[in-house]
């Protein structure tokens, strides 16, 4: 899994960067996010990768403690974010079981962001807790040869 996760984060240059630091999280507006169509990971898997330095280096321990308190959640990966949701919302996001080598597939979702935290480090990973997810369909990006 670490190879897939790190590969996605490394090679996913076309996915939208999420810039929501200044967004008012208490609005009635849903936010558009592009996430990997790879099956969702358990939150425990992501936390383990972060702690064993397979994830972003120099993580913020308060954010990691908060993530641990969420328990039993699913995580989709975005270009610079971990998108955390409950099982019901995760089941709404179509995910691919097909392994392709010349492209990657993303799912476009809309959701409400309940909380936005940062894991810190020089790549500034967002950790988004979301709810009321709607899957808007997927898009395929082909690697240039």
């Amino acid at each position: 899994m670490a190879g897939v996760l790190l590969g996605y984060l490394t090679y996913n240059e076309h996915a939208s960067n999420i810039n929501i630091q200044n967004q008012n999280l208490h609005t009635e507006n849903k936010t558009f996010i592009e996430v990997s169509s790879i099956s969702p990971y358990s939150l425990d898997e992501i936390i383990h990768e972060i702690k064993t330095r397979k994830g972003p280096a120099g993580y913020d321990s308060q954010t990691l403690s908060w993530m641990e308190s969420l328990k039993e959640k699913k995580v989709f990966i975005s270009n610079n974010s971990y998108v955390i949701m409950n099982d019901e919302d995760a089941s709404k996001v179509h995910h691919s079981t097909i392994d392709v080598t010349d492209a990657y597939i993303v799912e476009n979702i809309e959701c409400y962001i309940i909380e936005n935290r940062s894991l810190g480090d020089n790549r500034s990973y967002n950790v988004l807790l979301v709810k009321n997810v709607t899957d808007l369909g997927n898009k395929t990006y082909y690697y240039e040869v």
Side-chain angles (χ1 to χ4, degrees):
M1 182 186 87
V4 171
L5 172 63
L6 292 175
Y8 178 77
L9 292 173
T10 302
Y11 295 107
N12 188 7
E13 297 169 359
H14 299 286
S16 62
N17 286 327
I18 301 171
N19 185 8
I20 50 182
Q21 265 78 21
N22 298 322
Q23 180 176 340
N24 180 357
L25 299 181
H26 301 291
T27 66
E28 295 299 316
N29 298 326
K30 281 190 162 185
T31 300
F32 172 86
I33 304 174
E34 205 171 60
V35 297
S36 170
S37 69
I38 297 172
S39 299
Y41 301 102
S42 76
L43 182 56
D44 289 339
E45 288 177 287
I46 298 299
I47 291 169
H48 176 74
E49 286 198 6
I50 293 168
K51 285 182 172 180
T52 58
R53 300 195 184 270
K54 294 177 187 168
Y59 62 83
D60 179 83
S61 59
Q62 288 181 335
T63 297
L64 193 63
S65 293
W66 169 76
M67 290 170 70
E68 290 172 324
S69 76
L70 297 175
K71 305 191 188 302
E72 304 302 316
K73 300 283 190 233
K74 299 295 182 190
V75 180
F76 282 89
I77 308 298
S78 180
N79 190 34
N80 64 346
S81 299
Y82 295 117
V83 182
I84 302 171
M85 60 191 73
N86 65 27
D87 286 334
E88 182 182 341
D89 279 329
S91 70
K92 297 175 188 175
V93 181
H94 297 99
H95 55 273
S96 175
T97 56
I98 300 170
D99 191 17
V100 295
T101 57
D102 62 341
Y104 61 93
I105 303 167
V106 296
E107 288 295 323
N108 298 304
I109 64 171
E110 271 188 330
C111 56
Y112 293 102
I113 298 174
I114 302 169
E115 197 157 347
N116 176 17
R117 300 214 180 184
S118 175
L119 266 179
D121 95 343
N122 58 1
R123 289 189 65 191
S124 186
Y125 280 79
N126 291 311
V127 180
L128 308 174
L129 179 60
V130 303
K131 70 176 187 175
N132 297 345
V133 172
T134 303
D135 191 321
L136 302 174
N138 63 36
K139 183 170 184 177
T140 302
Y141 292 100
Y142 292 93
Y143 295 114
E144 294 182 23
V145 204

